[in-house]
Amino acid sequence: MSDELYPAVIAPLVSKRAHETLVKVKKFVDEECIPADTIYHEQVSHDPSKRWASVPPIIEELKVKAKKLGLWNMFLHAHYKEGPGFTNVEYGLMAEQLGRCLVASEAVNCAAPDTGNMEVFAKYANEEQKREWLVPLLEGRIRSAFCMTERFTASSDATNIQLSMRREGNEYVLNGRKWWASGAGDPRCKVWLVMGKTDASNPDRYRQQSVIIVPAHHPGSKVIRPTQIFGYDDAPHGHCEIEFTNCRVPAKNIVLGEGRGFEIIQGRLGPGRIHHCMRSIGAAEEALRYILARVTSPERRTFGKVLADHATVKAFIADARIDIDAGRLLVLQAAHAIDVSSAKDAQGLISSAKIYVPSMALRVIDRAIQLHGAGGVSQDFPLAYSYANQRTLRIADGPDEVHRDQLGRRELKRAERTTALLKAQSAEVERLRKQHNIAAKI
Ligand SMILES: Cc1cc2nc3c(=O)[nH]c(=O)nc-3n(C[C@H](O)[C@H](O)[C@H](O)COP(=O)(O)OP(=O)(O)OC[C@H]3O[C@@H](n4cnc5c(N)ncnc54)[C@H](O)[C@@H]3O)c2cc1C
């Protein structure tokens, strides 16, 4: 696709308003956010007492600029009255631009996990819960975390979740251990959505779980530590391990009602996976830009040639171009299916994108690292950090294998029809042989 904003085949799906916003997003990312990335990293405190207690000032400055430009909450798509009304395809194209650097998504209030959490509040919360939590999230005054995964539970199967949520009078009492709660390290994170079991004996395994709103650091909860990704702690955002010991939460904080937890996480993850995938496309595009600059640099000649003049390097670049373009179309197809139907109906396409895109982005970033030599794995280029980030996406929001399993099962449903068609075609071959006096082959 090179320098165009989207493939021509997608153009009929992009309104004039979305196109104009996309142009603004790209300019904002190019001119403001990419240079701010370096400053953000430099402003994260190395003093252990401040690392998780302060926020790099540049991010709040960017938020003010983004709001002035009208670039805010674009993720909250047409179904929600609270949002600007873009389709998933339109926002997907914007998410691609935002994915080109670290700070852009947060700068326009479109960062995970807040996006998914705001969707939960917008879609499932009552008016009181929305007033208390959705409004400040939409305004970018607070941040949030989603606590589903458990350290001692195989959490890719959400029916395994163990955290106990026992009703006592007007309260629920929470006991259990969560980890990888992204964003819970941030001092601005004021609310956690916690998934647990309210009815472990329910014979329907998909009605045992519920989601409850817990104010961050509520009595009875304790942030134990931030976990690291290949040594990166992502401060001050963080991915935290949190223990709940007799943590008493008002019963009115339950979202949608007891036993509705599964429904909530399914509704939360569909569009969220598309957002992640489009940001991965952006990360891959950015790595390709780094490749182009590096291989044409006259200072980096080897064996008498600039790198681009070596045939293997051109092949690397061609493969990267094809990989990214194929991935983008896969994601946009899934986004369009959500727009015209629902995340549930688009499940197969969402799985395809979720399986293909993070691995594709990793291949492209890996080529970029390779072409930067030792510099590629160092802190001097954003490639190593980008690789670490993308690698997590093969696990987070459902590991590759779980999506492959679902997609494989979906395809197998066509087996009966496909077999019947093959049999009918073989019978027709026999009939044609007889008609043309051709002896049957053994
Ligand atoms: C950076 C990052 C951020 C995260 N943020 C959050 C967050 O904000 N909130 C939250 O709740 N969680 C979060 N997670 C956790 C993430 O969603 C879980 O790690 C994921 O769901 C997998 O669960 P698990 O780690 O318990 O792996 P397990 O369930 O133990 O699975 C381990 C492995 O088993 C294999 N496997 C599982 N099922 C199958 C199958 N059907 N067929 C074949 N192989 C299979 C896969 O290889 C899988 O990776 C985050 C994770 C990362 C890395």
Side-chain angles (χ1 to χ4, degrees), residues 299-341:
E299 285 100 53
R300 310 295 313 188
R301 295 170 77 85
T302 62
F303 305 98
K305 300 173 180 176
V306 292
L307 294 178
D309 287 340
H310 294 290
T312 52
V313 172
K314 281 201 275 292
F316 258 26
I317 293 171
D319 287 346
R321 180 73 277 142
I322 296 164
D323 274 354
I324 298 171
D325 287 352
R328 179 186 291 105
L329 286 174
L330 210 49
V331 191
L332 291 174
Q333 190 190 9
H336 182 55
I338 301 177
D339 285 334
V340 296
S341 183

Side-chain angles (χ1 to χ4, degrees), residues 146-149 153-156 179-182 229 239 392 395-399 401-402 405:
F146 194 80
C147 309
M148 186 187 85
T149 305
T153 309
S155 304
S156 49
W179 76 339
W180 290 99
S182 297
I229 301 163
H239 311 276
T392 67
I395 298 168
D397 285 359
E401 294 87 343
V402 174
D405 201 52

Side-chain angles (χ1 to χ4, degrees), residues 318-380:
D319 287 346
R321 180 73 277 142
I322 296 164
D323 274 354
I324 298 171
D325 287 352
R328 179 186 291 105
L329 286 174
L330 210 49
V331 191
L332 291 174
Q333 190 190 9
H336 182 55
I338 301 177
D339 285 334
V340 296
S341 183
S342 66
K344 195 160 178 269
D345 288 343
Q347 196 53 57
L349 292 169
I350 295 172
S351 285
S352 302
K354 172 74 174 75
I355 296 161
Y356 182 80
V357 171
S359 290
M360 176 285 289
L362 285 169
R363 279 198 301 281
V364 176
I365 298 165
D366 184 69
R367 286 177 192 129
I369 288 174
Q370 189 72 12
L371 286 165
H372 283 71
V377 294
S378 78
Q379 72 274 38
D380 286 359

